Amino acid sequence: MNTRLTARQEAILEFIRDRIQQGLPPTRGDIAEAFGFASRSAAEQHLRALAEKGAISLNEGRARGIQLVDVRPSLRRPGPELPLVGKVAAGQPILAQEHIETHLAVDPDCFRPRADYLLRVQGDSMIDAGIFDGDCLAVHRQPEAALGSIVVARIDDEVTVKRLQQVQGQWVLRAENPRYQPIQLRDKAWHIEGLVVGVLRRLDKP
């Protein structure tokens, strides 16, 4: 940090840390209310001072655009993390940087086999397997899987999560929701991206 903080700045920084640990940075209004400021502009002035001293960075134009720069070791997330992947664009690698929403404090060795990343579920095609829209799947990267496994597969450049099966000698990806028809893989370009090894329910939600 470039310059020592005042007692009030230390208190505001601690407040910001606490709110981020709870899930979201505070707004200017939150800070003004917590410290009895007459207006949000007073909170903004303190935030500008903290940014100038290197304690935080500000994302202009966002109400909660506050990020910690000088995070105290005692408040850092302990242990390893896994990248959380959101919507994957067609034809692009799953772990492309633009697909990674954040990193979550999840130990990859909690899963067998070891997880390589978390994938956010979109849709209800696997609800009968206990996988719901918004869940995070722990995925182990591998190019093959046993029959009956739930896999992350790429079909014609689109990524999907389904159960791997064979019907009359033909590979099939089956949804766990009767509203969806099985995906017949004959004559399709497809491959397995990974094996689903765990489900985390909306882990990153406050």
Side-chain angles (χ1 to χ4, degrees), residues 33-186:
E33 181 179 358
F35 290 90
F37 298 149
S39 67
R40 296 183 181 183
S41 61
E44 181 69 24
Q45 291 174 7
H46 283 288
L47 291 176
R48 295 288 176 186
L50 287 170
E52 289 175 2
K53 293 181 179 182
I56 63 174
S57 63
L58 298 175
N59 189 337
E60 301 294 340
R62 295 183 59 184
R64 298 183 186 273
I66 304 171
Q67 292 181 309
L68 293 175
V69 174
D70 181 34
V71 182
R72 295 176 183 175
S74 61
L75 292 177
R76 289 178 184 149
R77 283 176 170 166
E81 297 180 328
L82 285 172
L84 172 61
V85 176
K87 185 174 178 57
V88 178
Q92 295 188 15
I94 286 180
L95 288 174
Q97 188 61 42
E98 58 267 31
H99 301 153
I100 297 175
E101 296 181 354
T102 186
H103 286 74
L104 298 179
V106 177
D107 187 349
D109 291 320
C110 287
F111 306 94
R112 292 292 181 274
R114 188 179 191 273
D116 293 300
Y117 60 92
L118 302 172
L119 179 66
R120 186 186 297 284
V121 175
Q122 299 183 38
D124 61 356
S125 67
M126 297 298 288
I127 57 175
D128 287 349
I131 299 173
F132 298 92
D133 184 48
D135 285 354
C136 299
L137 301 181
V139 182
H140 173 71
R141 297 178 71 181
Q142 63 180 52
E144 57 187 27
L147 286 174
S149 300
I150 297 176
V151 300
V152 178
R154 190 182 291 272
I155 310 170
D156 296 331
D157 284 337
E158 298 288 344
V159 171
T160 187
V161 177
K162 297 291 184 290
R163 192 177 296 279
L164 181 66
Q165 292 188 330
Q166 272 192 336
V167 177
Q168 297 180 346
Q170 300 296 326
W171 292 105
V172 173
L173 290 176
R174 184 170 64 81
E176 292 287 352
N177 183 333
R179 292 175 49 218
Y180 296 86
Q181 294 297 315
I183 300 173
Q184 306 292 334
L185 296 174
R186 184 174 56 185

Side-chain angles (χ1 to χ4, degrees), residues 6-47:
T6 66
R8 174 55 61 89
Q9 289 168 353
E10 283 280 8
I12 293 173
L13 183 60
E14 192 67 29
F15 177 73
I16 293 169
R17 286 194 182 105
D18 288 344
R19 292 296 295 269
I20 289 176
Q21 289 292 308
Q22 293 171 27
L24 285 174
T27 63
R28 275 67 170 171
D30 293 335
I31 295 171
E33 181 179 358
F35 290 90
F37 298 149
S39 67
R40 296 183 181 183
S41 61
E44 181 69 24
Q45 291 174 7
H46 283 288
L47 291 176

